[in-house]
Amino acid sequence: MKCSMTTALLALLACLTVVSPATQVVAQAKDRPNIIFLFTDDQNDLSVGCYGNDQVQTPNMDKLGAEGIIFTNHYNTTAICMASRATVMTGQYEYRVGCNFSHGPMYASSWARSYPMLLRKAGYFTGFAGKFGFNIVDKPGAKGAGRGGGGTLAHEKGEAYFDVWAGGQGQTSYETDGKNNHQRIKQYADRYPHVTRAYGAFAGDFFKQAKASGKPFCLSISFKSPHLPFTPDPAFDHVYANKTYRKPANYGVKHAAHLAPQSRTGRQYKSYRFWVDDYQKSIRGYNQLIHGVDVALGMIRKALAEQGLSDNTVIIFTSDNGYSCGAHGFGGKVLPYEEASRSPLIIYDPRQPASQRGQRRDAVTGNIDMAPTIFDLAGLDVPQHMDGKSLLPLIREPKRWPRESIALMNMWGNAGIHTFAVVTRDWKYIYWPYTNDQMQPTEELFHVANDRMESKNLSTVAAHADDLKRMRAVYDEHHTHMRHYVTKFNKYTLFVPLFDRQRKK
Ligand SMILES: [Ca+2]
């Protein structure tokens, strides 16, 4: 009985799916949206108007948010360029994809399962411009692993991996005709000598090529802005001229005394003194670089409209990590604190009904979710090997969204700042394992929903003992996941016992 029912069901499915190959191709091309993934470098979520900053001008980001979905608790699970980029491409935590400075490059086996590669395989016309940020080698120890794993993908590889490759070398250059930029970007140097708007112009030309291909497209642009050096486009000098910025409530070293001593052992605390010496100049440069990206975003949307592509093109806007900007006396990123790990995330899908646009979602999301979301948008099943989730269900039915926590981690730099943490919409728990004569393993518990400035460590407050217990359990779940899925390459297995908070010392 069971067998005959299965046979009948298969026959029915076969009838339903009988369409001519030509019809199928047309249907797929019509149904599948184009996807633009816009990625800034070192942009924290506090830097955007629609995230509550009334001191900046980001009208195009605000408009994108007003017409799309603003994710208000978006974290980069590793807050550093190379690892975050590898995570975005593969949907995997750093300990699983195994790629970061001082650890190593990405292996071809992982890259083959990244969103650019699998979307191209599924018939998308793909493009990449800007900072790629990691190298890809055939196997562990292969040439190209180099110091820190290498941050540069060779041009010939880029040309092989994408239909249109305009990736740069290393950190790329702010000067459009700078030596680290691709020739396809340099061609805009006369009109846009600062590179940010050159990416906008590049996108416009890419849309024409993509349209001619007859395929849906996936374009990824990785802006250099607002990464150091703070040399913004002088065309926007007038935007913040003579402006004096209010400092955040947790600005400066006087707001670091309550933090784990481990957090103050790295270069984030000792370097980047310009945030102390000249906050106004630093934040003005930072904000002006972001304003330039805002203008490029406007160029990209205008070019989409001119090509008649606006109605079927999804835009995802986010960054690879946040930036401390002097909070608690920190500069740089890397640490699991709010400023360094949080970035804006806006997803604009013109096909969605008005009831699902212009809204906010406060569930915690992460860079691990970018590839799964892109897969889902392209109509592909989200592969099992990804740690993240598609955010489309969170957009459509937020009340049924099941995931409550994600992990944050740092396995780069000096041993003192190696850390593993978990965050929910309301709470963050951080474990700092490093010990020496002056410090023991340290726990931190912040009620981030009420204490965005992380001004009170509640881990030793008796009234929050239950909260601590609950977040420790969340931590242990994520640590178990790490133990299960950690890559055996690039020395990541050493971090499993280190981050085991119940380990016998
Ligand atoms: Ca970065």
Side-chain angles (χ1 to χ4, degrees), residues 429 431 433 441 443 469 471-480 483 496-505:
Y429 171 87
Y431 180 67
E443 294 176 297
K469 189 177 172 187
M471 289 304 288
R472 278 174 170 169
V474 173
Y475 179 99
D476 292 345
E477 279 174 29
H478 280 277
H479 184 261
T480 299
R483 184 187 296 120
V496 178
L498 184 70
F499 293 153
D500 181 354
R501 64 173 192 86
Q502 300 181 80
R503 179 174 59 124
K504 297 271 189 298
K505 306 300 178 203

Side-chain angles (χ1 to χ4, degrees), residues 404-466:
E404 294 185 346
S405 65
I406 59 173
L408 312 177
M409 63 207 72
N410 175 49
M411 293 168 277
W412 173 86
N414 61 297
I417 58 167
H418 292 167
T419 183
F420 197 75
V422 288
V423 65
T424 67
R425 184 190 64 183
D426 297 334
W427 292 90
K428 183 191 289 180
Y429 171 87
I430 308 174
Y431 180 67
W432 303 87
Y434 181 73
T435 57
N436 66 12
D437 292 343
Q438 284 85 42
M439 59 187 87
Q440 292 298 309
T442 306
E443 294 176 297
E444 291 181 311
L445 180 70
F446 298 104
H447 194 304
V448 285
N450 291 346
D451 181 22
R452 174 69 173 77
M453 296 288 111
E454 292 173 309
S455 65
K456 292 193 183 85
N457 175 8
L458 302 174
S459 68
T460 55
V461 176
H464 290 286
D466 287 347

Side-chain angles (χ1 to χ4, degrees), residues 16-89:
L16 292 173
T17 53
V18 170
V19 287
S20 74
T23 310
Q24 206 168 15
V25 169
V26 170
Q28 285 177 356
K30 187 165 178 268
D31 294 345
R32 295 192 294 178
N34 306 308
I35 300 163
I36 301 177
F37 186 75
L38 300 177
F39 203 37
T40 55
D41 194 344
D42 292 5
Q43 184 182 2
N44 68 39
D45 65 345
L46 297 174
S47 66
V48 186
C50 63
Y51 278 79
N53 190 336
D54 63 1
Q55 304 189 91
V56 295
Q57 293 186 36
T58 53
N60 289 298
M61 295 175 198
D62 301 346
K63 183 170 186 283
L64 195 73
E67 296 174 357
I69 299 285
I70 296 171
F71 294 83
T72 57
N73 287 305
H74 183 69
Y75 289 84
N76 286 295
T77 57
T78 303
I80 187 169
C81 305
M82 185 166 162
S84 183
R85 284 156 202 269
T87 288
V88 160
M89 291 286 193

Side-chain angles (χ1 to χ4, degrees), residues 218-232:
C218 179
L219 172 63
S220 304
I221 296 181
S222 291
F223 292 95
K224 181 174 176 65
S225 293
H227 194 285
L228 284 172
F230 294 156
T231 50

Side-chain angles (χ1 to χ4, degrees), residues 29-173:
K30 187 165 178 268
D31 294 345
R32 295 192 294 178
N34 306 308
I35 300 163
I36 301 177
F37 186 75
L38 300 177
F39 203 37
T40 55
D41 194 344
D42 292 5
Q43 184 182 2
N44 68 39
D45 65 345
L46 297 174
S47 66
V48 186
C50 63
Y51 278 79
N53 190 336
D54 63 1
Q55 304 189 91
V56 295
Q57 293 186 36
T58 53
N60 289 298
M61 295 175 198
D62 301 346
K63 183 170 186 283
L64 195 73
E67 296 174 357
I69 299 285
I70 296 171
F71 294 83
T72 57
N73 287 305
H74 183 69
Y75 289 84
N76 286 295
T77 57
T78 303
I80 187 169
C81 305
M82 185 166 162
S84 183
R85 284 156 202 269
T87 288
V88 160
M89 291 286 193
T90 60
Q92 295 183 323
Y93 282 119
E94 179 187 343
Y95 57 72
R96 195 168 182 182
V97 64
C99 177
N100 200 351
F101 303 109
S102 78
H103 283 274
M106 188 185 287
Y107 301 124
S109 53
S110 287
W111 174 246
R113 303 194 296 178
S114 66
Y115 84 76
M117 292 295 274
L118 290 180
L119 258 66
R120 193 181 188 197
K121 199 174 170 186
Y124 268 74
F125 185 81
T126 62
F128 185 92
K131 174 175 160 182
F132 194 77
F134 57 89
N135 197 3
I136 299 164
V137 296
D138 292 338
K139 58 189 176 187
K143 189 180 176 190
R147 177 185 162 273
T152 296
L153 185 69
H155 283 319
E156 55 270 25
K157 283 190 176 176
E159 296 281 358
Y161 294 145
F162 293 88
D163 291 304
V164 179
W165 166 252
Q169 299 291 295
Q171 297 284 357
T172 71
S173 303

Side-chain angles (χ1 to χ4, degrees), residues 173-184:
S173 303
Y174 275 131
E175 303 78 26
T176 304
D177 62 358
K179 65 180 172 64
N180 291 328
N181 292 338
H182 193 282
Q183 197 58 41
R184 288 197 172 100

